[in-house]
Amino acid sequence: MFFHIILERNMQLHPRHFGSRLRDKLVSKLIKEVEGTCSGRHGFVVAIMGIEHVGKGLIRDGTGFVTFPVKYKCVVFRPFKGEILEAVVTMVNKMGFFAETGPVQVFVSNHLIPDDMEFQSGDTPNYITSDGSVKIQKDSEVRLKIIGTRVDATEIFCIGTIKDDFLGVISDPGAAA
């Protein structure tokens, strides 16, 4: 799920950047350092929407660098248990498959794939129904449900299922158009 939140970060700036464009340099450095990162507590920072406040700088002894406290608004993505997401399959093996939904990787175990689908190895490993009508392979788009998350300091891991109603393959790259 996506959230708008306000975060704070201490930014260090070299003295050569002091001047009329100091704020612009802080903003560009903040965007470069923060966008695309993950904090276990808040989730993945998708975009910085604006700067709320830049505090007074504190000169670091012996270096000349100045540390500025910066409050900024951003959009974060944090998956939750029970959430339905659309994802792209990145790898298929006999244990299940991995799929990506934005920056999050989700593993779907073969126990969480419908019973009528079975694994087929070969050039392109896949799960296929007995009648051949539905196939899950690399680059397939699937709708899945998050049934578990594990949060580390800098990463979020998810376990998903496609065994419920209205979950499963959305589009198959191997199907004829």
Side-chain angles (χ1 to χ4, degrees), residues 47-173:
I48 293 176
M49 305 305 292
I51 304 297
E52 286 282 303
H53 177 70
V54 177
K56 291 187 178 187
L58 181 65
I59 299 171
R60 297 193 48 168
D61 292 336
T63 64
F65 279 84
V66 175
T67 303
F68 293 93
V70 179
K71 269 189 182 175
Y72 57 96
K73 291 186 283 189
C74 61
V75 175
V76 294
F77 172 67
R78 172 104 191 248
F80 286 97
K81 186 176 176 180
E83 187 171 1
I84 307 293
L85 299 170
E86 292 183 0
V88 176
V89 175
T90 56
M91 187 175 83
V92 178
N93 61 37
K94 67 180 179 180
M95 301 302 288
F97 66 86
F98 289 91
E100 289 181 352
T101 176
V104 177
Q105 189 171 56
V106 180
F107 176 68
V108 178
S109 166
N110 59 2
H111 301 292
L112 300 169
I113 295 173
D115 296 331
D116 67 334
M117 298 189 88
E118 60 182 57
F119 178 71
Q120 289 186 335
S121 58
D123 292 342
T124 56
N126 61 65
Y127 282 89
I128 191 164
T129 55
S130 53
D131 65 357
S133 63
V134 179
K135 184 190 262 187
I136 298 173
Q137 62 186 10
K138 187 178 186 313
D139 296 327
S140 294
E141 292 179 25
V142 294
R143 182 173 296 119
L144 52 84
K145 180 179 181 180
I146 303 293
I147 60 169
T149 61
R150 188 181 92 223
V151 178
D152 287 347
T154 59
E155 205 164 359
I156 300 174
F157 302 97
C158 295
I159 303 294
T161 182
I162 60 168
K163 231 176 178 174
D164 283 347
D165 292 337
F166 307 108
L167 302 180
V169 177
I170 300 169
S171 74
D172 178 11

